């Protein structure tokens, strides 16, 4: 049943909605490497293509022949011609846009600092300048191929340059890059034969988001991964058999750990005796057994049935590949491959040759397609061997493998996805990235927060790290480090635990009793945030701005946005600052220095409102994650789910206190096809507006757009953080009896709305008995405090029982903890209990320190754990 009958829809509005829906469904313009003639200026030995007001292509050719093919990095130059002027006087040329002023002298020489200069403008004023050979000393970096054996921050200097620089400009030199041949069946690499200069100058000042958007206009959009990719991935380099995999998944279910992706590392195939003590080289100069395509029937006797089982479990499955040896003679499919490829010497390995289209076609059709037909969903390409192609030396094998695997998967009709290392500029079009075999230490965890965000500077939005680290240095797994890594994974593009085949390493969360619940809570938080993450991932497709991106994108003028390197935006409405250092053993808290930009922010773990601009020091217990939402923001969330392929029966909208209002846009599509690229999706805008100090209006606008399988109505829970139960609820001006409850875990009131039709516009007005300002004061920080009180009380009980089996604790201790019970039974009195709690807090330190049967070696650390004022 919907809140509003459809017959009340305005006919004019319905017509407008249908027009909007049809407009959304129009296909996007195809990529075209030939620039708009109206934006092209050819002058002597040079050609300039004005692609946007901030972006210009600059070509020099001694033969007056210019390149119109797409390069591997740049695939689209057909953009609307921006407004610009040109002036020619003899051999002098000037071109001026709103943001650039180029001056060129055609003196018969290649571009140099004497014949070519560009000024970067803002509001018609010069803010920076560029000339050939100028060093970009303020480049903010991009990313790099891999973190294999990375020694944390030592790798910062090794990052490749990115498109974002405090210099106000960035230059992309495409002169040596290979080209695409333009084949419509399968666009293929062809070497660049000319020796032209081919440069792209981005001149944007500090409008970094515009620079990234312009890049995706010419280099291709960042695809939206299938929705399941944003769930939890299980991966481990370990010899599993069929039953062990089934048991592992059963354990996940029994421990209520959500799971979407199951990766089987290389032991799924025959390894022919491979081990670290038996590193025999084959004819391709690779380790025997490293490459393989024949299932190990001693581990998986019926592989097709195993994949059938994973499909029935609603798991997406990937297999690990090391293709460098080509096709070994002992492979089951060897003869079939040799025949299809017309390989005559059937006693020899068939060498790897992915740049040969016939070889590549045979590879996919013969070796991989049969397993894809069973239900293998994507491939983990673990290429660690020779980096350059043997036929085209300037072609990166990593880059080309990413391209061929991704574009071959496009033929299946599914939304393509691969899993491999970064190959270079342009590889943003082929997610997901595998960052390699990193070291296991706190420094690496800290570096990965910066590394992940900085990759946004080349559009590489989807790094996946080995959560927990890969190489252990012969040390057993540190449970605290693993927990904090999982928490970072929760707030990173992809959450995938992994490790090397080392017996000292453990990755199953239930094997860490002290940390298990915090680990599981972090994974569940990931699933709760999935609607928010998915909507921001689609925004990445639209704008080029990665889900995880640096603070300086939004605050380019703030020095702290550059210096707080391990903080980042997580979507548009939240800032993450993962804990990357161990707790203090006495206080059980980890210290974190944090910068909050201008405005009001809400710390989700504690329920504390904080004011920017400020550099602050905060402390976090093991189960707490530093995550700050903008005041007034609306965060769409899932209820408890075990899988992102599961369709929840309702969505939760979390309303962050503060501000005068906010908005969000619910994004939904079919989750697994490329139809979203043809605008087959829906968006629904939801706004909040504070009407006065005690009332709030929530508006659901009608959904725009549609997609296959789109539900015609949807239920919502409205979750108001740090708010008491509303005294009345109106729907479109009429009071209605709508159920509500109070969450003692989150200190939030929850309103359960009946289903709302997709085409309905609904206004919900909520009245509260106490002003928002007063509620903010009463609730502030109490969510985190009550959570810590529970743990502190347990510690005191055990300490007391050690010395006095009949002893007890002061009433004030029990009364503080009992507030949760009172809230459970009398939620209507939540503000009264908050007032009591705030009163208890003032004297709690004195109470703890005076407990007669518990020593100060216990109570003093607890006062710090509870962050109590010990001066009172």
């Amino acid at each position: 049943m919907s809140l509003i009958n459809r017959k009340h829809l305005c006919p004019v509005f319905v017509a407008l909605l249908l027009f909007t829906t049809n407009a959304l469904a129009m296909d996007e313009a195809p990529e075209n490497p030939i620039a708009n003639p109206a934006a092209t200026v050819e002058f002597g030995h040079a050609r300039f293509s004005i692609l946007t007001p901030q972006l210009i292509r600059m070509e020099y050719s001694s033969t007056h022949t210019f390149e119109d093919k797409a390069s591997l990095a740049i695939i689209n130059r057909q953009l609307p011609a921006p407004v610009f002027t040109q002036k020619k006087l003899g051999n002098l040329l000037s071109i001026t846009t709103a943001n650039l002023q180029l001056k060129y002298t055609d003196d018969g020489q290649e571009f140099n600092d004497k014949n070519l200069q560009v000024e970067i403008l803002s509001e018609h004023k010069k803010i920076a300048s560029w000339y050939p050979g100028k060093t970009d000393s303020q480049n903010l970096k991009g990313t790099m191929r891999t973190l294999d054996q990375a020694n944390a921050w030592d790798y910062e200097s090794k990052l490749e340059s990115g498109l974002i620089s405090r210099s106000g400009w960035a230059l992309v030199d495409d002169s040596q890059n290979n080209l695409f041949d333009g084949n419509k069946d399968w666009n293929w690499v062809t070497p660049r034969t000319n020796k032209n200069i081919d440069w792209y100058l981005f001149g944007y000042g500090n409008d970094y988001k515009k620079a990234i958007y312009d890049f995706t206009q010419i280099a291709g959009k960042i695809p939206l991964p299938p929705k399941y990719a944003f769930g939890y991935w299980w991966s481990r380099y370990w010899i599993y058999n069929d039953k062990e995999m089934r048991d592992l998944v059963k354990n996940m279910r029994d421990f209520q750990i959500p799971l979407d992706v199951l990766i089987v590392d290389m032991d799924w195939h025959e390894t022919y005796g491979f081990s670290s003590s038996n590193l025999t080289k084959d004819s391709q100069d690779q380790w025997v057994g490293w490459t393989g395509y024949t299932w190990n029937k001693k581990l998986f006797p019926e592989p097709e049935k195993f994949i059938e089982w994973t499909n029935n479990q609603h798991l997406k499955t990937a297999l690990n590949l090391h293709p460098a040896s080509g096709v070994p003679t002992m492979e089951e499919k060897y003869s079939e491959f040799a025949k299809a490829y017309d390989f005559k010497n059937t006693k020899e390995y068939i060498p790897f040759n992915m740049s040969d289209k016939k070889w590549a076609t045979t590879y996919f059709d013969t070796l991989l397609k049969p397993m894809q037909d069973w239900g293998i969903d994507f491939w983990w390409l673990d290429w660690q061997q020779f980096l350059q192609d043997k036929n085209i030396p300037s072609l990166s094998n990593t880059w080309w493998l990413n391209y061929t695997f991704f574009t071959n998967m496009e033929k299946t009709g599914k939304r393509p996805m691969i899993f491999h290392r970064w190959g270079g500029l342009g590889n943003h079009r082929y997610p997901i990235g595998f960052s390699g075999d990193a070291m296991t230490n706190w420094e690496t965890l800290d570096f990965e927060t910066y590394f992940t965000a900085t990759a946004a500077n080349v559009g590489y939005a989807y790094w996946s790290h080995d959560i927990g680290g890969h190489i252990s240095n012969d040390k057993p797994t540190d449970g605290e480090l693993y927990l904090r890594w999982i928490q970072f994974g929760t707030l990173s593009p992809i959450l995938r635990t992994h490790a090397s085949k080392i017996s000292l390493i453990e990755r199953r969360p239930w094997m860490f009793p002290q940390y298990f619940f915090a680990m599981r809570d972090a994974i569940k938080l990931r699933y709760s945030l999935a609607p928010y993450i998915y909507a921001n991932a689609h925004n990445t497709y639209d704008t080029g701005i990665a889900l995880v991106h640096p603070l300086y994108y939004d605050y380019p003028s703030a020095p702290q946005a550059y210096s707080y390197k391990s903080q980042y935006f997580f979507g548009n409405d939240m800032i993450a600052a993962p804990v990357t250092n161990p707790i203090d053993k006495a206080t059980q808290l980890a210290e974190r220095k944090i910068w909050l930009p201008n405005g009001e922010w809400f710390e989700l773990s504690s329920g504390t409102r904080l004011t920017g601009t400020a550099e602050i020091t905060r402390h976090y217990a093991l189960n707490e994650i530093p995550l700050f939402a903008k005041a007034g923001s609306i965060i769409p969330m899932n209820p408890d789910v075990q899988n992102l392929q599961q369709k929840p029966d309702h969505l939760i909208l979390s309303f962050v206190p503060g501000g005068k209002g906010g908005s969000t846009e619910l994004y939904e599509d079919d989750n697994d096809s490329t139809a979203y690229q043809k605008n087959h999706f829906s968006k629904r805008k939801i706004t909040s507006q504070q009407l006065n100090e005690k009332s709030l209006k929530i508006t659901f606008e009608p959904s725009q757009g549609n997609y296959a399988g789109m539900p015609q109505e949807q239920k919502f829970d409205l979750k108001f953080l740090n708010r008491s139960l509303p005294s009345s609820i109106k729907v479109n001006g009429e009071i209605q009896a709508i159920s509500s409850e109070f969450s003692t875990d989150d200190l939030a009131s929850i309103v359960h709305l009946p289903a709302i039709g997709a085409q309905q516009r609904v206004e919900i007005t909520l009245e509260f008995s106490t002003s928002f300002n007063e509620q903010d004061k009463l609730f502030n920080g109490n969510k985190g405090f009550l959570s810590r009180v529970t743990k502190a009380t347990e510690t005191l009980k055990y300490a007391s029982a050690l010395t006095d089996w009949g002893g007890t604790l002061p009433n004030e201790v029990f009364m503080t903890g009992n507030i949760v019970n009172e809230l459970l039974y009398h939620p209507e009195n939540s503000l009264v209990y908050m007032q009591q709690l705030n009163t208890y807090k003032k004297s709690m330190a004195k109470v703890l320190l005076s407990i007669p049967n518990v020593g100060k070696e216990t109570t003093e650390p607890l006062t710090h754990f509870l962050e109590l004022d010990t001066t009172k």
Side-chain angles (χ1 to χ4, degrees):
M1 178 179 178
S2 297
L3 280 176
I4 296 182
N5 193 301
R6 290 177 178 81
K7 70 181 181 182
H8 295 303
L9 285 170
C10 170
V12 174
F13 178 76
V14 172
L16 179 62
L17 176 66
L18 290 173
F19 171 80
T20 305
T21 300
N22 290 334
L24 282 173
M26 294 173 62
D27 289 0
E28 297 177 2
E31 291 152 353
N32 184 346
I34 300 176
N36 190 330
T40 303
V41 177
E42 192 168 331
F43 188 75
H45 295 86
R47 183 172 73 168
F48 302 98
S49 301
I50 301 89
L51 300 171
T52 77
Q54 301 81 221
L55 172 59
I56 188 166
R57 184 190 189 195
M58 305 175 293
E59 300 171 90
Y60 178 88
S61 171
S62 60
T63 61
H64 300 270
T65 56
F66 301 100
E67 187 58 71
D68 283 330
K69 287 189 175 74
S71 75
L72 298 193
I74 309 299
I75 59 175
N76 180 53
R77 306 182 187 102
Q78 182 63 241
L79 300 173
V83 175
F84 70 95
T85 60
Q86 58 172 309
K87 294 181 181 179
K88 299 177 181 178
L89 183 62
N91 67 342
L92 303 178
L93 169 70
S94 69
I95 296 173
T96 304
T97 75
N99 299 97
L100 299 174
Q101 186 174 65
L102 177 147
K103 295 180 180 179
Y104 170 62
T105 303
D106 183 32
D107 57 3
Q109 303 295 315
E110 290 187 347
F111 291 152
N112 59 67
D113 59 349
K114 300 294 191 298
N115 64 19
L116 180 63
Q117 300 88 32
V118 180
E119 292 184 352
I120 291 86
L121 311 174
S122 178
E123 297 179 351
H124 309 292
K125 295 180 181 179
K126 175 183 172 182
I127 58 173
S129 64
W130 171 86
Y131 50 81
K134 186 172 185 178
T135 301
D136 182 7
S137 59
Q138 299 187 80
N139 194 280
L140 292 166
K141 302 296 184 180
T143 194
M144 62 188 300
R145 179 178 176 272
T146 182
L147 293 181
D148 285 330
Q149 301 182 22
N151 191 15
W153 285 94
D154 290 351
Y155 266 45
E156 182 181 11
S157 62
K158 299 180 181 180
L159 297 183
E160 298 180 21
S161 293
L163 300 160
I164 304 301
S165 173
R166 299 180 80 175
S167 300
W169 57 268
L171 183 73
V172 172
D173 185 351
D174 207 34
S175 306
Q176 303 301 316
N177 210 345
N178 291 298
L179 307 173
F180 282 114
D181 63 11
N183 187 293
K184 293 182 179 179
D185 292 329
W186 198 358
N187 214 356
W188 208 251
V189 64
T190 185
R192 187 189 289 255
T193 56
N194 62 55
K195 296 183 179 180
N196 293 357
I197 292 175
D198 193 353
W199 292 341
Y200 294 80
L201 181 68
F202 294 76
Y204 43 77
N206 63 10
D207 191 351
Y208 301 146
K209 289 185 174 182
K210 183 60 178 173
I212 294 297
Y213 176 77
D214 283 358
F215 173 69
T216 59
Q217 293 302 292
I218 64 170
K221 291 190 171 188
I222 304 168
L224 174 62
K227 193 170 189 178
Y228 69 79
F230 298 104
Y232 174 39
W233 299 24
W234 172 265
S235 179
R236 174 75 200 273
Y237 182 23
W238 199 254
I239 303 175
Y240 288 105
N241 65 29
D242 187 315
K243 184 177 185 305
E244 289 166 341
M245 275 291 184
R246 293 172 188 256
D247 289 345
L248 177 73
V249 171
K250 183 179 184 300
N251 285 332
M252 292 281 185
R253 305 287 193 236
D254 290 344
F255 284 104
Q256 299 181 345
I257 298 173
L259 181 67
D260 267 271
V261 177
L262 190 66
I263 293 184
V264 189
D265 211 320
M266 62 175 285
D267 288 294
W268 69 269
H269 64 73
E270 290 283 0
T271 57
Y272 310 107
F274 170 82
S275 73
S276 59
S277 59
N278 185 30
L279 298 177
T280 305
K281 290 292 187 75
D282 60 25
S283 62
Q284 306 302 301
D285 198 32
Q286 307 300 317
W287 294 330
V288 172
W290 201 243
T291 297
Y293 303 95
T294 302
W295 281 84
N296 186 340
K297 300 293 182 64
K298 296 181 288 297
L299 299 176
F300 297 91
E302 298 284 349
E304 187 173 357
K305 291 182 179 179
F306 170 71
I307 300 304
E308 181 183 2
W309 173 80
T310 62
N311 293 339
N312 291 336
Q313 293 293 311
H314 303 290
L315 296 173
K316 299 297 184 178
T317 311
L319 302 179
N320 175 277
L321 297 176
H322 298 102
S325 288
V327 186
T329 53
M330 52 277 206
E331 291 295 324
E332 283 182 351
K333 295 281 187 175
Y334 178 88
S335 296
E336 184 179 344
F337 191 110
K339 181 178 179 181
Y341 185 55
D342 197 26
F343 187 75
K344 301 301 183 183
N345 190 354
T346 55
K347 294 183 179 180
E348 298 291 336
Y349 280 36
I350 304 172
F352 175 84
N353 195 11
M354 190 61 80
S355 62
D356 176 0
K357 187 183 288 188
K358 182 177 180 181
W359 192 96
T361 301
T362 307
Y363 178 86
F364 288 114
D365 291 348
T366 303
L367 299 180
L368 303 189
K369 186 177 182 301
M371 289 184 276
Q372 290 172 188
D373 291 342
W374 295 350
I376 294 297
D377 295 283
F378 64 100
W379 302 94
W380 173 14
L381 281 158
D382 200 357
W383 183 273
Q384 298 160 309
Q385 290 71 36
F386 46 97
L387 298 182
Q388 305 306 122
D389 183 79
K390 293 180 178 178
N391 299 324
I392 307 175
S394 58
L395 177 64
S396 159
N397 274 318
T398 306
W399 202 105
W400 193 242
L401 280 165
N402 292 344
Y403 170 77
T404 52
F405 269 75
F406 191 91
T407 54
N408 180 71
M409 191 175 175
E410 285 180 319
K411 302 173 186 176
T412 66
K414 294 181 180 180
R415 196 176 300 180
M417 188 175 83
I418 63 166
F419 185 41
H420 195 203
R421 292 168 173 84
W422 189 64
L425 209 61
N427 258 190
H428 67 281
R429 301 192 296 267
Y430 319 120
I432 303 294
F434 164 53
S435 67
D437 303 343
M439 305 298 289
T440 302
N441 52 50
W442 289 99
E443 293 77 16
T444 299
L445 168 58
D446 189 54
F447 178 69
E448 284 183 356
T449 61
Y450 160 80
F451 178 82
T452 307
T454 305
N457 294 346
V458 288
Y460 205 58
Y462 297 108
W463 270 122
S464 170
H465 304 295
D466 287 3
I467 297 299
H470 187 84
I471 302 170
S472 70
N473 289 332
D474 297 323
K475 295 179 181 178
T477 300
D478 178 339
E480 182 188 355
L481 174 58
Y482 184 34
L483 165 64
R484 294 303 194 187
W485 224 312
I486 288 175
Q487 291 173 345
F488 162 60
T490 293
L491 304 178
S492 66
I494 303 295
L495 172 57
R496 176 187 57 89
T497 54
H498 188 68
S500 185
K501 191 190 290 186
I502 298 172
S503 58
L504 288 172
I505 299 177
E506 180 58 74
R507 289 291 175 262
R508 293 169 293 180
W510 53 88
M511 300 301 289
F512 300 90
Q514 180 183 353
Y515 305 100
F516 167 73
F517 290 106
M519 290 176 177
R520 187 178 66 179
D521 286 349
I523 296 171
K524 283 180 172 285
L525 174 62
R526 173 75 175 193
Y527 277 78
S528 295
L529 290 172
Y532 172 81
I533 293 170
Y534 197 55
N536 277 278
H538 184 263
N539 182 67
T540 298
Y541 174 75
D542 280 343
T543 67
I545 306 306
L547 167 71
V548 171
H549 60 270
L551 299 176
Y552 48 74
Y553 277 35
D554 294 82
Y555 300 94
S557 299
Q560 298 92 336
Y562 302 89
S563 60
Y564 281 76
K565 294 182 177 182
S566 54
Q567 279 184 227
Y568 52 84
F569 266 94
F570 186 64
N572 291 327
D573 291 320
M574 291 195 275
I575 287 177
V579 174
T580 58
N581 52 281
I583 59 171
D584 179 277
K585 296 303 181 184
T587 66
Q588 292 292 294
L589 297 175
E591 184 174 284
R592 190 78 164 90
K593 288 180 168 47
I594 290 164
W595 175 68
L596 291 178
N598 185 44
E600 295 290 323
W601 298 87
F602 186 77
E603 187 178 57
L604 291 166
S605 65
S606 69
T608 303
R609 280 187 65 177
L610 299 163
T611 301
T613 304
E615 296 177 77
I616 58 177
T617 299
R618 302 289 291 171
H619 298 88
Y620 297 94
L622 289 168
N623 63 319
E624 296 170 351
I625 307 173
L627 182 60
F628 305 88
K630 290 179 181 176
S633 59
I634 306 171
I635 310 298
M637 303 177 76
N638 274 333
D640 193 29
V641 294
Q642 287 299 306
N643 192 287
L644 291 185
Q645 297 152 70
Q646 168 190 344
K647 297 226 180 251
D649 61 357
H650 70 283
L651 286 180
I652 300 169
L653 300 173
S654 289
F655 292 83
V656 177
K660 297 299 180 181
S663 67
T664 191
E665 210 167 42
L666 288 180
Y667 172 84
E668 293 181 313
D669 60 25
D670 64 16
N671 300 336
D672 201 25
S673 83
T674 57
Y676 76 94
Q677 295 177 347
K678 298 180 179 180
N679 294 317
H680 293 295
F681 56 78
S682 73
K683 288 186 175 182
R684 183 170 209 159
K685 188 174 183 179
I686 299 166
T687 61
S688 66
Q689 179 187 359
Q690 184 176 314
L691 301 177
N692 55 53
E693 267 301 304
K694 294 183 179 181
S695 63
L696 188 67
K697 181 174 72 174
I698 311 300
T699 303
F700 289 79
E701 300 293 349
S703 297
Q704 296 189 13
N706 59 69
Y707 60 91
M710 176 179 169
Q712 294 307 300
E713 60 182 26
Q714 195 168 35
K715 293 181 180 179
F716 295 92
D717 280 355
L718 309 183
K719 186 174 185 178
F720 299 96
L721 306 177
N722 280 16
R723 290 290 177 261
S724 62
L725 291 172
S727 55
S728 72
I729 302 171
K730 293 180 181 179
V731 178
N732 289 347
E734 297 180 4
I735 294 179
Q736 293 198 11
I738 294 177
S739 67
S740 60
E741 64 176 300
F742 190 83
S743 167
T744 57
D745 290 332
D746 295 311
L747 297 189
S749 62
I750 302 173
V751 175
H752 305 292
L753 294 183
I756 298 177
Q759 273 72 56
Q760 292 178 338
R761 185 180 190 274
V762 178
E763 289 184 355
I764 313 292
T765 305
L766 303 104
E767 299 283 347
F768 295 84
S769 58
T770 304
S771 72
F772 298 134
N773 185 53
E774 184 64 21
Q775 291 197 51
D776 287 339
K777 293 177 183 176
L778 291 171
F779 278 109
N780 198 43
N782 282 339
K783 173 189 172 182
F785 182 74
L786 281 174
S787 174
R788 291 188 191 179
V789 161
T790 300
K791 182 175 180 181
T793 303
E794 283 301 301
T795 300
L796 289 171
K797 288 178 182 179
Y798 280 101
S800 174
L802 284 174
T803 59
D804 184 357
W805 63 267
T808 186
L809 298 172
N811 285 336
E812 291 89 341
V813 174
F814 292 131
M815 288 165 64
T816 303
N818 193 47
I819 282 178
V820 175
N821 299 322
E822 297 283 8
L823 285 168
L824 183 65
Y825 294 110
H826 302 286
E828 70 279 4
N829 295 329
S830 60
L831 296 177
V832 174
Y833 298 132
M834 290 303 103
Q835 182 64 63
Q836 290 177 5
L837 183 60
N838 292 332
T839 300
Y840 294 155
K841 271 198 248 183
K842 294 177 183 178
S843 59
M844 181 61 72
K846 183 177 179 180
V847 171
L848 292 182
L849 294 173
S850 62
I851 299 176
N853 55 340
V854 178
K856 289 191 176 181
E857 70 278 2
T858 299
T859 57
E860 283 185 355
L862 286 179
T863 63
H864 294 293
F865 177 69
L866 295 173
E867 299 191 85
L868 298 171
D869 185 352
T870 58
T871 63
K872 296 181 180 179

